[in-house]
Amino acid sequence: MRKGIEVALMLALIAIALAPCAAPARADSEDLSAEWVWCDGNFLPAGRISSINITIRNVGPNPVKLQFVGLHFDWMPQNTYVYGGGSELEVILPPGGSAKYAIPFEIPPDAQPGPHECLAFAKYEVLGEGRLKVFRPNRELSVLRVITL
């Protein structure tokens, strides 16, 4: 009986010692959230100019220095972003604070009909540590096939 208690006590001590290793690391996704609004809907013809209203909210416990918010579409070269409405300017977001941007974009006239990926990138700092967050919209953009009769 005593040996069983010793084994149980030993296992409990090992579990306590290893618990910090099993704790989840801080996830960057807990700092910011995003809300998307496709101003003209998400089904648009090639060649169309439209915009996205995106609201970035600080959902973390610390102030966030938001440095840049840009959109990237799959037809754009890598590391290229469109921005607007002040999304290229730094702003401090207190906990619970938000910033709203209207970012215009143009669908190329030769864009293929069908779904296209769009991502928003936010460059920001929390407590002096630089971070990058990628947001996906709740609905993807679809380019419509236009038939002229």
Side-chain angles (χ1 to χ4, degrees), residues 66-112:
L66 191 58
Q67 299 167 318
F68 176 81
V69 177
L71 301 177
H72 176 84
F73 293 87
D74 60 10
W75 58 73
M76 299 171 72
Q78 190 174 6
N79 298 320
T80 303
Y81 310 95
V82 292
Y83 57 90
S87 69
E88 73 283 10
L89 304 173
E90 285 188 358
V91 62
I92 303 295
L93 299 179
S98 64
K100 183 176 180 178
Y101 307 107
I103 303 178
F105 66 94
E106 181 176 2
I107 302 171
D110 60 347
Q112 293 296 311

Side-chain angles (χ1 to χ4, degrees), residues 1 7 12 16 32 34 45 48 53 65-66 72 106-108 120-121 124 127 129 145 147:
M1 174 79 168
V7 169
I16 290 170
L32 298 176
R48 176 75 181 262
N53 287 338
K65 184 192 326 183
L66 191 58
H72 176 84
E106 181 176 2
I107 302 171
F121 288 84
Y124 64 104
L127 302 174
E129 179 185 320
R145 180 182 311 274
I147 301 172

